[in-house]
Amino acid sequence: MNAFNRLVSRTMIRAASTQNVETEPIGAANRIYALFGASSSFLTRLKRKNRTVFRTVKYALIALFAYWVLVGF
């Protein structure tokens, strides 16, 4: 159990690392979050302009993600 805890801890810590100095790499979780943040602001603007298009895009993205998870692997 300790080995499993160490493995999970190392993996999560490495993935969630932030860039404190210029030479330090950024973790994968922070890179993915940055991508979602950019798309989130786009979806927020779209939601304010046209809710019908927003809902269509939202459900299309959910369906695409579900397809990717179920068939892509």
Side-chain angles (χ1 to χ4, degrees):
M1 190 65 171
N2 283 338
F4 176 74
N5 286 340
R6 279 193 295 269
L7 174 71
V8 170
S9 295
R10 288 180 188 152
T11 305
M12 294 303 291
I13 289 171
R14 193 172 292 139
S17 64
T18 60
Q19 187 176 22
N20 296 320
V21 293
E22 291 292 324
T23 58
E24 196 172 34
I26 299 172
N30 284 329
R31 287 191 207 130
I32 291 170
Y33 184 76
L35 292 174
F36 283 129
S39 65
S40 174
S41 65
F42 167 74
L43 290 174
T44 302
R45 287 192 315 268
L46 181 62
K47 185 177 183 181
R48 284 189 210 128
K49 277 189 151 192
N50 190 337
R51 283 194 179 265
T52 305
V53 173
F54 166 75
R55 287 187 183 120
T56 304
V57 170
K58 178 177 128 178
Y59 291 126
L61 288 173
I62 291 170
L64 186 67
F65 180 73
Y67 177 79
W68 177 71
V69 168
L70 296 175
V71 179
F73 290 135

